[in-house]
Structure formats: C-alpha cells, structure tokens
C-alpha cells in the first residue's frame, strides 16, 4: 500500500507501507449488542482430549476409555466439558479481550450438546454490557455472552464472561508495541 491508501481492516499503520495486526478491541469498540463470529474454527483431536484431560486430572472413563465409552449411550468417548469451555473461550480472546488485563468471571456456563473427537467448534460472542471501572481508572468492564457451535450448527456450550479492557486501546497498543 502506498501513502494515502486506506489502512486494511484489522490492521494499524505503524510506518509507511508497514502494518501491524490488531489484537483485541478497546472499551469504546465493544459496544452493547456487538456480535463477533470468531474464526477459524477448531477441530478437536484425540490428542486434545487425552492431553487436556490428563493435565486436568480428570480420568473419568467416559473421556479416556474407548471400551467403557462404547457401552454408554454415546458409543464413544466424550470430550471433557472443561476442554470445550477452554477451546471456545480461547477462540474469543483475539478479538474481544486480546488487550485484557484480567478476567473477572465466568457465569451461567451450560453444556448443551455432547462434543466428540473430530467435531469442529466455532464461537460467537455478543457484548451484553459494559461500564467504566470504579476502582481502576482508564479501565472498562465488559460483559459478553458466548456460544460455541459444532460443525452442524448445534450449540454445545454457552457462558457469560466479564473482563477488564483498556478505555484507550491505542495508548495501550503504542505502549506495549501491539
């Protein structure tokens, strides 16, 4: 791009013909009612299920024992729900909370459909509220509602999350080289 050309969406100009990807939105960009569809999707693998289940210490046979699981109503191992939450929550970070300084809480977590190895998950987040922090000047508190869907469009998890974001995102980006 040459001088005077528009900056591509999702990037910021840092020098002539040089752009940096934007990570995270600021308080003023995260307005109530904003909906973000997060991409790319993420296909869950056997390694995801075994590694993350083991790291979490959850050795329930429904997640780790193919023979046991084959005799349940599902007929195969279920991906551990905490893995589903972690992956769907992680998918939201780059856009909604990439500049956050802290998560404040996860609420109303619901697992609404089973997840299996081989499923591909997608996430969608709606900003449901925001306010300036009373205790941290220059910081806003954003609340969002996220839904994770599988490749068939079935909702597999929903949750509400609140987190801190900077009011002046550009100043934070300048100061941190983001």
């Amino acid at each position: 791009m040459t001088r005077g050309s528009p900056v591509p969406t999702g990037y910021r100009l840092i020098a002539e013909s040089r752009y940096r990807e934007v990570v995270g939105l600021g308080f003023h960009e995260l307005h109530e009612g904003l909906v973000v569809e997060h991409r790319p999707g993420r296909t869950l693998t056997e390694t995801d299920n075994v590694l993350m289940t083991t790291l979490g210490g959850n050795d329930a046979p429904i997640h780790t024992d193919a023979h046991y699981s084959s005799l349940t109503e599902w007929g195969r191992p279920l991906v551990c729900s905490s893995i589903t939450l972690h992956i769907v929550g992680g998918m939201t970070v780059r856009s909604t909370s990439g500049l956050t300084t802290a998560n404040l809480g996860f609420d109303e977590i619901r697992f609404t459909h089973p997840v299996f190895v081989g499923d591909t998950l997608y996430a969608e987040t709606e900003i449901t509220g925001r306010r300036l922090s009373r205790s941290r000047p220059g910081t806003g508190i954003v609340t969002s509602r996220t839904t994770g869907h599988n490749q068939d469009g079935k909702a597999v998890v929903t949750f509400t999350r609140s987190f801190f974001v900077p009011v002046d995102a550009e100043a934070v980006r300048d100061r941190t080289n983001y």
Side-chain angles (χ1 to χ4, degrees):
M1 304 218 107
T2 60
R3 186 184 303 262
S5 296
V7 175
T9 303
Y11 296 83
R12 60 189 217 129
L13 182 67
I14 58 170
E16 186 175 344
S17 296
R18 188 174 190 88
Y19 300 90
R20 184 171 295 137
E21 291 179 289
V22 172
V23 174
L25 298 173
F27 182 76
H28 298 294
E29 297 162 305
L30 292 165
H31 61 84
E32 195 167 330
L34 173 71
V35 175
V36 178
E37 293 183 12
H38 307 284
R39 295 295 184 270
R42 175 71 157 65
T43 302
L44 297 169
T45 67
E46 183 75 26
T47 301
D48 294 328
N49 194 42
V50 171
L51 181 61
M52 293 175 74
T53 299
T54 302
L55 283 171
N58 181 347
D59 61 358
I62 192 66
H63 304 307
T64 60
D65 185 325
H67 175 71
Y68 173 92
S69 299
S70 73
L71 302 174
T72 70
E73 67 181 288
W74 311 112
R76 56 190 165 153
L78 288 172
V79 170
C80 181
S81 57
S82 62
I83 296 169
T84 301
L85 177 63
H86 181 79
I87 288 176
V88 170
M91 293 170 77
T92 71
V93 170
R94 183 167 188 83
S95 55
T96 60
S97 59
L99 297 177
T100 191
T101 55
N103 267 319
L104 300 174
F106 285 84
D107 296 300
E108 302 168 347
I109 301 168
R110 299 287 180 266
F111 300 100
T112 55
H113 194 297
V115 175
F116 303 100
V117 168
D119 282 350
T120 300
L121 301 182
Y122 300 92
E124 178 178 296
T125 299
E126 179 180 1
I127 305 305
T128 58
R130 67 180 191 149
R131 68 174 177 82
L132 294 174
S133 172
R134 289 185 282 278
S135 62
R136 293 179 177 245
T139 303
I141 298 172
V142 174
T143 303
S144 63
R145 183 80 178 152
T146 297
T147 302
H149 297 91
N150 68 12
Q151 67 281 349
D152 300 320
K154 293 189 189 285
V156 299
V157 63
T158 59
F159 58 89
T160 299
R161 179 169 71 115
S162 296
F163 50 92
F164 283 136
V165 293
V167 172
D168 187 349
E170 290 305 312
V172 170
R173 289 182 181 118
D174 290 341
R175 186 176 72 250
T176 60
N177 204 25
Y178 264 79

